[in-house]
Amino acid sequence: MFDKSKGTKKVTRRTMLQRGAGVAAASAFAAAVSHPPAAAASRPRADALPTAVAGVRIPDSDVAREAAAFARGASTETLFNHVMRTYLFGCLMFDRNGVRYDRELVFVASVLHDLGLVEAYRTPNERFEVDGADAAQRFLRQQRMSADRVAVVWDAIALHTTAGIAARKRPEIAMIAVGSGMDFSGNDLQKLPSDILDDVLTAFPRKGFKQEAIDTIVSLCRTKPMGELMHPFAEVGRRHIADFSVPTVEDLLLAAPFED
């Protein structure tokens, strides 16, 4: 769900710089020893998904239905509609190029890809993409999905904001980056016919997506600033939060304990 910004104890830039070198190790340790909150109830709601939108079939397997119900139960309507548009946009772009892919795997990765934005699945230091990938992994293991398929979903979610890397991976990974990027910033949206775009937006309307996304990014910057170290979201924090103390890449470089 999208959360309004919450105040936290101020951390100085010097403290951030001192922590910067050790953040990766600290995050890994926290992930290993922490026990994030139990998954939200995944019971299906009465409002079933359509069988297809804009000519794109929506999978109806057991794991697809469970994943959609889980994501819908954990998310606001606005966030759930975004993850559904992510699936549709990714499929539309790859279908038009004749790319073959595992539709169920793409659907599951799409609907689960933003769990890291939900407060229940946030850890103190990890990037939201990693939090989301870990939450999806736990859920899919409960669904007894095979380890190799879970690994693809994990990579797709963890890499979905790093399009240049995701694009070099298998289609099921690249499609999440493409679909979410189209919905977030309009990348390549002009390549879709207007009637197709209308079908997608009618089935899953945006409902104030831009403002809710900004609110969530600011919330992440306030509540887990080290998770935004060297992350694009840090620029939003610098714009909206006075004295935002997360160092820039330049700060980290100049603070390195070398003479030159």
Side-chain angles (χ1 to χ4, degrees):
M1 66 188 63
F2 289 108
D3 302 299
K4 296 295 182 183
S5 304
K6 300 177 182 177
T8 55
K9 181 179 180 181
K10 182 179 291 185
V11 182
T12 67
R13 181 172 292 269
R14 179 181 295 276
T15 300
M16 284 292 193
L17 286 168
Q18 291 171 341
R19 293 179 183 175
V23 67
S27 297
F29 177 76
V33 301
S34 65
H35 299 281
S42 59
R43 62 181 180 277
R45 295 187 179 184
D47 46 337
L49 294 174
T51 57
V53 175
V56 175
R57 180 173 61 83
I58 295 179
D60 192 39
S61 64
D62 288 344
V63 71
R65 289 195 301 272
E66 290 296 327
F70 178 66
R72 194 196 294 268
S75 309
T76 64
E77 183 180 7
T78 298
L79 182 58
F80 182 72
N81 285 359
H82 162 66
V83 301
M84 288 300 301
R85 293 193 302 269
T86 292
Y87 167 73
L88 295 169
F89 286 145
C91 291
L92 286 165
M93 293 301 290
F94 278 64
D95 286 347
R96 69 195 298 271
N97 292 317
V99 178
R100 300 182 63 180
Y101 56 88
D102 185 316
R103 187 172 297 274
E104 179 187 79
L105 211 50
V106 173
F107 180 79
V108 168
S110 294
V111 298
L112 300 178
H113 86 268
D114 268 345
L115 289 175
L117 297 177
V118 178
E119 186 175 4
Y121 305 108
R122 296 183 190 180
T123 60
N125 294 309
E126 292 284 7
R127 293 168 66 112
F128 89 90
E129 300 94 333
V130 174
D131 283 343
D134 286 346
Q137 177 178 260
R138 291 192 297 271
F139 170 76
L140 293 174
R141 284 174 174 171
Q142 293 172 358
Q143 303 301 311
R144 300 187 183 280
M145 178 178 276
S146 65
D148 59 331
R149 292 173 71 76
V150 172
V152 174
V153 172
W154 195 97
D155 284 351
I157 296 174
L159 293 173
H160 82 267
T161 61
T162 315
I165 297 175
R168 301 294 187 97
K169 298 290 187 176
R170 56 187 287 174
E172 294 84 1
I173 295 173
M175 291 171 72
I176 313 307
V178 169
S180 63
M182 289 182 71
D183 196 55
F184 188 86
S185 60
N187 293 342
D188 291 328
L189 208 59
Q190 72 280 2
K191 294 181 179 180
L192 296 180
S194 59
D195 59 330
I196 294 295
L197 180 58
D198 288 344
D199 286 348
V200 173
L201 296 178
T202 298
F204 298 102
R206 291 178 65 83
K207 292 185 174 290
F209 175 74
K210 289 182 180 181
Q211 187 58 55
E212 288 199 8
I214 292 172
D215 290 344
T216 299
I217 293 170
V218 173
S219 172
L220 287 168
C221 289
R222 288 188 184 279
T223 60
K224 49 183 297 182
M226 287 308 295
E228 313 317 315
L229 182 67
M230 298 179 67
H231 191 289
F233 284 4
E235 296 308 313
V236 181
R238 293 187 181 97
R239 173 176 292 183
H240 290 272
I241 301 173
D243 300 321
F244 187 60
S245 53
V246 174
T248 66
V249 174
E250 180 183 15
D251 292 332
L252 293 175
L253 173 64
L254 294 178
F258 304 104
E259 293 182 0
D260 59 3

